[in-house]
Amino acid sequence: MNHDLAIRLREGTKHSHTMAENTAYMKCFLKGVVKTQPFRKLLSNLYFVYSALEAELSIHCHHAVVSKIYFPQLNRKAHLEEDLAYYYGNNWRELIAPSEAGRNYVAHIHEIANTEPALLVAHAYVRYLGDLSGGQGLKSIVCSALELPAHSGTRFYEFDAFPSIAAIREFKGQYRDALNSLPVDEELATKIIAEANYAFSLNRDVLHSLEPEVKAAIGENLFAEITSESKPGSTENSSGDSSENLATVD
Ligand code: HEM
């Protein structure tokens, strides 16, 4: 197959990526202003999203397209469970619930899995490649902002199968090769790129839904000050690896 899906996904979603980075939630995050309540709410929503995504990927793991990007070593659900127990205590399951935006995201994942499972590729790409990229920088920000002990409260960002920056980088290359080898025609490739943009918008909706939590945690004034500036996008350059631009990010 010669559809260059990896680079087309990167290029075709860079505007969406910039918008995600420019959400109020992420701007505060990048300024190092992270508070426990909004952060654990994000993890709660992601727990429902990844539970849905990973269940559907596993159900469709023999699908001709899905099987090529089926890497269970990326699974986040168990690590999110550890983080939720850290932030909410052992009865975390009774204490968490998704926001309406989180519920829509979950419903959408199940819907496409039932109608066109190949589109799960777009959702896996947006979440996992993001976690392996910007997510690695976000981890250091959370650690210092919340003064966390090592490996507590940031398990979500840790990939046991890829313990070093070099291992992550190598795997990202493997993931992009897998995207380029997908048995999809031009029509499906185009649909996957559109679906990835939709996945970004679902993520933005979740982040927007948590803005009241951020405002309540940091106060209206600081919130207004931080969110008035706009940030250039990390994937706006065309190279396949712009991680050098952010000292802490790979
Ligand atoms: C403040 C927040 C964020 C920062 C600082 C950030 C930063 C970055 C950076 C530096 C890269 C490039 C890494 C590389 O070239 O290897 C990247 C890639 C990526 N990010 Fe983000 N990101 C953020 C938020 C998000 C969000 C919210 C999502 C989606 C939910 C996301 C999804 C992605 C994806 C899919 C890629 C891979 C692009 C590609 O090479 O195909 N990012 N991010």
Side-chain angles (χ1 to χ4, degrees), residues 119-159:
L119 297 183
L120 287 170
V121 166
H123 289 270
Y125 161 78
V126 169
R127 283 304 334 174
Y128 294 124
L129 227 53
D131 299 335
L132 291 166
S133 304
Q136 299 303 299
L138 299 180
K139 176 186 165 185
S140 336
I141 295 176
V142 185
C143 270
S144 48
L146 301 182
E147 297 178 0
L148 298 171
H151 307 296
S152 296
T154 51
R155 291 289 287 145
F156 170 61
Y157 299 110
E158 293 172 8
F159 290 85

Side-chain angles (χ1 to χ4, degrees), residues 1 4 9 12 47 49 72-73 92 96-97 115 123 125 199 231:
M1 293 291 151
D4 292 330
L9 271 168
Y47 173 74
V49 169
Q73 64 271 44
W92 60 270
I96 67 162
T115 52
H123 289 270
Y125 161 78
K231 185 194 171 304

Side-chain angles (χ1 to χ4, degrees), residues 39-40 43 76-89 92 148 151-158:
F39 184 59
R40 70 182 191 171
L43 294 176
R76 303 289 77 213
K77 187 179 170 197
H79 283 205
L80 281 162
E81 288 174 350
E82 286 181 48
D83 286 342
L84 291 168
Y86 179 79
Y87 290 110
Y88 287 96
W92 60 270
L148 298 171
H151 307 296
S152 296
T154 51
R155 291 289 287 145
F156 170 61
Y157 299 110
E158 293 172 8

Side-chain angles (χ1 to χ4, degrees), residues 51-110:
S51 298
L53 179 61
E54 289 167 8
E56 295 294 0
L57 288 171
S58 158
I59 289 169
H60 296 282
C61 69
H62 299 300
H63 182 279
V65 176
V66 177
S67 60
K68 300 270 191 237
I69 54 93
Y70 185 65
F71 295 104
Q73 64 271 44
L74 290 174
N75 284 356
R76 303 289 77 213
K77 187 179 170 197
H79 283 205
L80 281 162
E81 288 174 350
E82 286 181 48
D83 286 342
L84 291 168
Y86 179 79
Y87 290 110
Y88 287 96
N90 285 339
N91 60 339
W92 60 270
R93 280 180 203 277
E94 294 144 42
L95 301 174
I96 67 162
S99 64
E100 191 188 345
R103 285 198 301 276
N104 289 341
Y105 194 164
V106 166
H108 182 76
I109 288 173
H110 291 307

Side-chain angles (χ1 to χ4, degrees), residues 10 17 20-21 26 30 125-127 129-130 133-134 138 172 176 200 203 234-235 240-243 246 249:
R10 184 184 170 93
H17 190 277
E21 285 178 272
M26 280 305 170
L30 289 173
Y125 161 78
V126 169
R127 283 304 334 174
L129 227 53
S133 304
L138 299 180
K172 278 168 48 176
R176 292 191 176 109
F200 268 102
N203 277 280
S234 297
T235 58
D241 195 337
S242 65
S243 36
L246 275 173
V249 174

Side-chain angles (χ1 to χ4, degrees), residues 193-237:
I193 297 164
E195 185 67 22
N197 279 304
Y198 189 60
F200 268 102
S201 80
L202 291 167
N203 277 280
R204 281 200 305 275
D205 291 347
V206 170
L207 295 170
H208 285 314
S209 74
L210 300 176
E211 277 175 28
E213 309 282 346
V214 180
K215 236 184 246 178
I218 72 173
E220 298 265 349
N221 290 346
L222 183 55
F223 183 86
E225 191 187 313
I226 294 176
T227 57
S228 61
E229 294 164 25
S230 101
K231 185 194 171 304
S234 297
T235 58
E236 292 283 354
N237 79 0

